[in-house]
Amino acid sequence: EKLKREKDWKIGVVSSVTINHATPAAYYAHVVSRNSYYDIGLQMAESGFDSFAGGLVNKAEKEGEKSIYEVLEENGYLVTNDRDTILSLNNKSGKVYAYTSTPQDSGSLTYRIDRKEGELSLADYVRKGIDVLYNENGFFLMCEGGKIDWAGHANDALANIGDTLDLDDAVKVAFDFALQHPSETLIIVTGDHETGGMTIGYAATGYNTAFDILRNQKCSYVAFDSMINAEKKNGTYTFDRLMEIVNDNFGLWYGENGTDSTLALNDYEYSKLKKAYEDDLSGNAKTGYEESSRLYGGYNAVSVTLTHIINNKAGIGWTSFSHTGLPVPVYAYGVGSEAFSGSYDNTEVAKKLFALCNVE
C-alpha cells in the first residue's frame, strides 16, 4: 500500500491458496478477523493493486451480496481463469485477477503431487505476475506457497515436500529476473511459522532414514480423501477394498502377498489403520475427544494414519497438527540483502523493507 501510494510502484499478490486467505490478505486488507472473507475480498477489489493470481476467492458472499468476482470487474479488473488468456498477460493488460481453473481443497492450486499436465503452477503465476507488473518505476510482488502449511497441518510429508519444490521453482523465476536486473532487485524468502513439527528422526527407526519409501505415495491426503468419499458414495467402502486402494496409492501391504518388505505393515501399523477405518465409519474421528484430536487432528482418520505410517517408515516424525514455535530462516538475495542477516522478530522484515524502499 505504501509503495503504491508513495512511489507509484505496481503491486502484485500471488498465492497457491485462496487469495483472501490470511497471508495474501495481510498485504491489502485491514479487518478485525482473518475470517472476514467477504470484507477482505471487497478490500482486495478496492486496493488498486495491479495483479492478483493463484487461488480462488473463498467463503465470500452471503445471500443477496455481490460476488467478489463481480466487484473486481466493476473496479476495472480483468478476471479470468482461462489458461490461454493468463499466459498471454503482459504489462499492457491492466489490472488483473488470474485464478486457477482446476481448484482443489477449498479453492487452492492443486498439490504438485496431484497436478495434471497443463495445469498452471505457482511458478507460472509468478512469471506472469512479473510480466504484468514490469514497468520503469518499479514493482513489488508477494508470492506465497501456502499449501506447504496446509500439508504440514495434515502431516503429509510428501505433499509438503512437493509444494516446497513448487515454491523453489517460483523463486527460480524471480532469481532469473534478478540476474537480468542485478542492480535494482531484492528477493526475500521466508515463512511465518513452521507447521506440524516435521523432523528427520522417528523413534522406531532411530538414526536411520529411508526417504525413497515416500516415492511409493502417489497422491496427497486430499486426493486420497476423495477416493474414500467415492467408495462411500458407491457403497463399496469395506476394509478389504480400502486395503486395495492403500496398496495402489501408497504401496503398503499386509499379509503374505507383498513383494517389498520395506512397505509391509507390521501388526501394530495394521491395527492402527483398521482402527482409523472403524473410527471413520463410526464418526468417532470427528468428535472432540482428546484421543481423536491427538490421533487425527480433525482430518480423515484413514488418510492421516496412512501418511503417518509411510512417513514413519521413512524416518520422519511429526509433533503436532498445528503451528510450532520453531524459528524460520530468512534468505535474501540482491540489493540490500545484507540487512537481513542475524536473528530478529518477524515484524522486522517489514521494517527493514520500509527502510530499504524509503517509505514512511
Side-chain angles (χ1 to χ4, degrees):
E1 289 175 315
K2 291 176 180 290
L3 291 171
K4 186 72 174 173
R5 183 173 61 247
E6 298 179 23
K7 307 193 76 170
D8 197 29
W9 283 16
K10 287 192 172 184
I11 311 297
V13 176
V14 177
S15 178
S16 64
V17 300
T18 44
I19 204 68
N20 56 342
H21 207 257
T23 295
Y27 286 82
Y28 60 80
H30 302 271
V31 293
V32 173
S33 169
R34 62 177 289 171
N35 296 318
S36 301
Y37 291 107
Y38 189 73
D39 289 340
I40 291 171
L42 291 176
Q43 292 185 34
M44 170 187 168
E46 296 163 359
S47 68
F49 285 8
D50 302 272
S51 177
F52 294 95
L56 278 61
V57 177
N58 189 34
K59 298 180 182 176
E61 69 272 12
K62 298 174 183 176
E63 186 176 352
E65 293 178 325
K66 283 186 179 180
S67 161
I68 295 300
Y69 299 96
E70 184 180 352
V71 178
L72 281 160
E73 289 177 337
E74 289 176 352
N75 280 270
Y77 283 87
L78 168 64
V79 178
T80 181
N81 66 353
D82 179 73
R83 185 178 186 275
D84 291 338
T85 302
I86 292 171
L87 292 178
S88 68
L89 294 172
N90 56 46
N91 62 355
K92 307 296 184 186
S93 299
K95 296 187 297 185
V96 300
Y97 170 38
Y99 62 97
T100 179
S101 61
T102 54
Q104 181 191 53
D105 196 13
S106 303
S108 60
L109 301 190
T110 307
Y111 275 114
R112 181 185 181 113
I113 189 176
D114 300 324
R115 191 164 60 230
K116 304 293 190 297
E117 186 176 353
E119 291 185 38
L120 296 179
S121 68
L122 193 63
D124 293 321
Y125 286 107
V126 169
R127 185 175 294 107
K128 297 316 298 182
I130 291 173
D131 288 345
V132 170
L133 299 175
Y134 188 79
N135 72 99
E136 292 299 318
N137 282 350
F139 68 84
F140 177 93
L141 176 63
M142 190 289 294
C143 169
E144 177 197 26
K147 295 196 77 170
I148 300 169
D149 168 67
W150 290 14
H153 278 296
N155 290 183
D156 186 339
L158 195 62
N160 188 296
I161 292 166
D163 270 53
T164 301
L165 292 172
D166 248 26
L167 178 63
D168 189 56
D169 289 343
V171 173
K172 176 63 163 55
V173 172
F175 183 69
D176 288 343
F177 177 86
L179 292 179
Q180 297 172 22
H181 304 273
S183 64
E184 52 187 356
T185 307
L186 170 64
I187 300 171
I188 301 168
V189 183
T190 188
D192 48 357
H193 50 72
E194 193 277 337
T195 305
M198 183 172 72
T199 59
I200 298 173
Y202 176 65
T205 59
Y207 294 109
N208 296 319
T209 56
F211 300 135
D212 279 351
I213 286 176
L214 296 178
R215 297 184 187 278
N216 293 280
Q217 183 178 334
K218 306 303 181 189
C219 64
S220 72
Y221 70 98
V222 175
F224 197 80
D225 286 352
S226 297
M227 295 178 199
I228 290 175
N229 291 336
E231 296 294 331
K232 289 178 179 177
K233 185 176 181 180
N234 293 334
T236 54
Y237 189 48
T238 65
F239 188 69
D240 286 342
R241 175 59 185 147
L242 173 63
M243 289 303 296
E244 291 176 4
I245 305 171
V246 167
N247 184 253
D248 289 342
N249 291 279
F250 286 81
L252 300 169
W253 58 277
Y254 180 78
E256 300 177 352
N257 297 322
T259 55
D260 187 344
S261 60
T262 64
L263 295 170
L265 295 171
N266 59 36
D267 290 343
Y268 172 68
E269 293 165 337
Y270 182 76
S271 65
K272 281 179 61 177
L273 187 56
K274 193 159 190 179
K275 175 177 171 27
Y277 167 77
E278 292 166 354
D279 285 345
D280 183 35
L281 276 183
S282 67
N284 288 341
K286 293 293 184 180
T287 64
Y289 296 134
E290 182 177 345
E291 183 183 19
S292 61
S293 298
R294 178 175 55 81
L295 290 175
Y296 313 126
Y299 292 90
N300 180 281
V302 174
S303 297
V304 78
T305 299
L306 281 170
T307 56
H308 279 169
I309 288 172
I310 198 166
N311 291 177
N312 293 163
K313 284 181 175 295
I316 294 172
W318 297 89
T319 65
S320 175
F321 293 104
S322 303
H323 302 162
T324 70
L326 292 176
V328 296
V330 180
Y331 303 103
Y333 173 85
V335 180
S337 58
E338 62 277 0
F340 295 89
S341 62
S343 300
Y344 40 84
D345 187 82
N346 60 354
T347 57
E348 289 297 318
V349 174
K351 294 172 184 175
K352 292 172 188 290
L353 282 172
F354 293 158
L356 283 169
C357 297
N358 195 26
V359 293
E360 296 297 325

